[in-house]
Amino acid sequence: MPKGKDTALISWKEVPFGCYILEPGNSVGFKTGDWRSFRPVLDKEKCVKCGQCYIMCPDMTYTQDEEGYYIADLTYCKGCGICASVCPKGAITMVVEEV
Amino acid sequence: MLKEWAKFKGFSAKNLPKEEPFAPGHRACQGCGEVLALRLALKALGMNVIAISATGCMEIISSPFPYTSWRVPWLHVAFENAAAVASGVEAALRALKRKGRFPRNRRVDVVAFAGDGGTADIGLQALSGALERGHDFVYICLDNEAYMNTGVQRSGCTPYGAMTTTSPPGKKSIGQMTWKKNVPAIAAAHGIPYVATATPAFFLDLMNKVKKAALVEGPAYVHIYSPCPTGWGTKGEDSITLAKLAVETRIFPLYEVIEGKYYITRKITKPKPVEEYLKRQRRFRHLTEEEIRKIQARVDAEYERLLRLAECL
């Protein structure tokens, strides 16, 4: 980076007046998935599609696919393991994330 | 039952709202129970809502510049005045409707979020004033039982015996020396139409209570118990288990106060011993048998008192 240039995330010239944030919910651009050390893995044979994992996830990770299964989108998953602990059938297991 | 709830059928597992007013990408710790409570509350309220946040964890994790996790209009205010600002927003909405600059029949809910410090200690007089004036808003206290944002200092809602950085256990101290402040009872003493307690472990119960609070004409107060893995010294995955145990051991009973009448929404007939709840947390690990018996006696007495309140009315 050349000296004297702006090294910040956003240059001051691009910051809106009063530091307002003009786009609602733009934190979707911040991927919290790289905090993760454990990854949830779903066993579809045990899953009863109850949706407990979807509603209990603090990071809005789970979405329903066409067949009705709740699939984890690992972009935001912090690997807390709440989904595995609330699953009534034990269909979700946490496995160590490979590097 | 109040007449405002006549059209509200209640949420069930089949008709959960699809929209997410709180966006992912927030920076809460792994397994945060507070952000889960916030997400569920906002999911119940929907998109037609103006949110006011006092300073605290939920403000910090949702709005590090240049990001925001809020998809609804949101105001961040100082620690003490979330309720005061919410009443101002509600008064402004009413004025705009009176002047014809805002559609009269469009329903917008005003909701104030604050932590237990912002409710029980610092914001108590602003909350009391707003409840007294009778503004039509919802006040939600997300109670994680200490000032977690600044590094676990004790607050009025910290339970007896808990270790925090400002109530350290040692030879002459057992940790927090006072009992938890009963904020729902303080709110109910104002004679407001709706007060409730909830926990994210029973998510339908939480969502229904928040929605009912929003539908009520006049002020409503919801106290949500939210586990904090960082401050309590628990595993992230145990958040929901702990929230469930707090209800099953009668430490945090779930009830509603509708126009002064107490209703217990989840009766616990066979309570688990409090030891089961206390032993899972690092903040309680210094407690002796005698102290645990003392806590058990207090929990039983409080639940008895609540049962009497619910029965005699």
Side-chain angles (χ1 to χ4, degrees):
Chain A
M1 191 67 68
K3 243 186 176 176
K5 288 273 175 192
D6 241 322
T7 53
L9 205 61
I10 295 182
S11 135
W12 64 270
K13 291 167 195 162
E14 292 160 29
V15 172
F17 185 71
C19 288
Y20 287 116
I21 302 168
L22 301 174
E23 189 196 344
N26 65 355
S27 71
V28 291
F30 187 77
K31 315 278 187 252
T32 50
D34 47 6
W35 298 15
R36 185 174 63 239
S37 51
F38 287 91
R39 174 163 52 93
V41 175
L42 173 71
D43 180 0
K44 282 194 179 177
E45 287 195 355
K46 286 187 195 166
C47 179
V48 290
K49 306 176 188 172
C50 65
Q52 291 272 329
C53 50
Y54 157 73
I55 198 74
M56 291 296 190
C57 180
D59 297 300
M60 299 67 138
T61 296
Y62 283 86
T63 43
Q64 202 168 16
D65 67 359
E66 304 90 65
E67 290 172 69
Y69 292 108
Y70 290 90
I71 306 296
D73 165 18
L74 296 177
T75 329
Y76 304 109
C77 176
K78 291 171 188 161
C80 63
I82 284 183
C83 48
S85 76
V86 298
C87 183
K89 296 285 169 190
I92 300 172
T93 44
M94 301 303 287
V95 296
V96 179
E97 188 79 63
E98 309 93 39
V99 182
Chain B
M1 290 293 110
L2 299 175
K3 61 179 187 307
E4 292 100 322
W5 301 338
K7 280 185 185 165
F8 178 57
K9 297 240 167 60
F11 295 114
S12 69
K14 295 276 175 202
N15 70 349
L16 290 172
K18 287 272 178 280
E19 67 239 10
E20 293 279 3
F22 198 76
H26 58 75
R27 301 181 194 189
C29 310
Q30 287 179 340
C32 178
E34 192 172 1
V35 78
L36 175 59
L38 178 68
R39 176 206 171 195
L40 292 172
L42 279 168
K43 216 174 162 61
L45 290 167
M47 297 302 272
N48 280 329
V49 62
I50 298 175
I52 292 104
S53 262
T55 303
C57 271
M58 288 307 103
E59 171 257 323
I60 296 290
I61 58 106
S62 66
S63 61
F65 188 77
Y67 294 113
T68 176
S69 293
W70 298 80
R71 287 176 176 144
V72 292
W74 176 70
L75 285 158
H76 163 229
V77 294
F79 225 135
E80 65 279 7
N81 57 355
V85 172
S87 44
V89 170
E90 193 265 344
L93 269 177
R94 246 185 315 153
L96 286 176
K97 280 183 186 173
R98 193 177 63 236
K99 290 177 183 172
R101 283 160 64 184
F102 191 82
R104 259 165 209 277
N105 48 7
R106 184 166 171 204
R107 190 183 170 83
V108 177
D109 296 318
V110 181
V111 56
F113 290 103
D116 55 304
T119 306
D121 300 346
I122 307 175
L124 191 60
Q125 58 88 13
L127 171 65
S128 178
L131 297 182
E132 178 206 330
R133 288 189 299 271
H135 291 282
D136 182 11
F137 79 116
V138 189
Y139 191 95
I140 295 180
C141 170
L142 301 163
D143 176 11
N144 53 15
E145 304 193 323
Y147 290 88
M148 297 308 180
N149 177 31
T150 47
V152 203
Q153 284 86 18
R154 70 156 290 279
S155 79
C157 277
T158 307
Y160 178 80
M163 173 181 72
T164 64
T165 50
T166 48
S167 64
K171 275 182 196 161
K172 298 195 174 165
S173 154
I174 56 126
Q176 168 75 344
M177 281 180 247
T178 53
W179 298 99
K180 185 177 170 123
K181 193 187 280 187
N182 194 347
V183 190
I186 297 175
H190 287 79
I192 60 171
Y194 190 72
V195 175
T197 62
T199 137
F202 301 101
F203 61 94
L204 285 174
D205 178 70
L206 187 151
M207 289 172 80
N208 283 328
K209 279 174 176 165
V210 170
K211 188 71 187 172
K212 275 154 90 177
L215 289 172
V216 161
E217 289 285 327
Y221 176 86
V222 185
H223 195 96
I224 305 182
Y225 174 93
S226 15
C228 173
T230 313
W232 296 5
T234 58
K235 286 184 199 161
E237 68 211 53
D238 280 349
S239 290
I240 297 301
T241 325
L242 270 177
K244 207 170 250 175
L245 267 178
V247 176
E248 284 169 352
T249 55
R250 294 177 167 177
I251 282 178
F252 189 83
L254 297 181
Y255 59 92
E256 286 178 314
V257 188
I258 303 169
E259 294 191 321
K261 287 181 188 153
Y262 279 73
Y263 298 92
I264 296 181
T265 42
R266 199 169 193 92
K267 266 209 178 109
I268 307 297
T269 44
K270 286 178 191 158
K272 291 182 178 168
V274 288
E275 200 170 356
E276 212 170 304
Y277 168 80
L278 300 175
K279 285 287 172 209
R280 293 181 88 110
Q281 302 174 51
R282 196 172 64 218
R283 61 174 179 162
F284 289 122
R285 73 173 166 189
H286 58 278
L287 292 184
T288 55
E289 288 285 315
E290 193 191 339
E291 295 295 343
I292 289 173
R293 270 202 299 278
K294 200 172 161 190
I295 291 173
Q296 179 74 62
R298 166 83 177 192
V299 165
D300 290 346
E302 283 287 305
Y303 198 80
E304 271 307 305
R305 194 181 62 84
L306 190 67
L307 274 181
R308 277 205 305 279
L309 277 170
E311 273 161 15
C312 71
L313 287 162

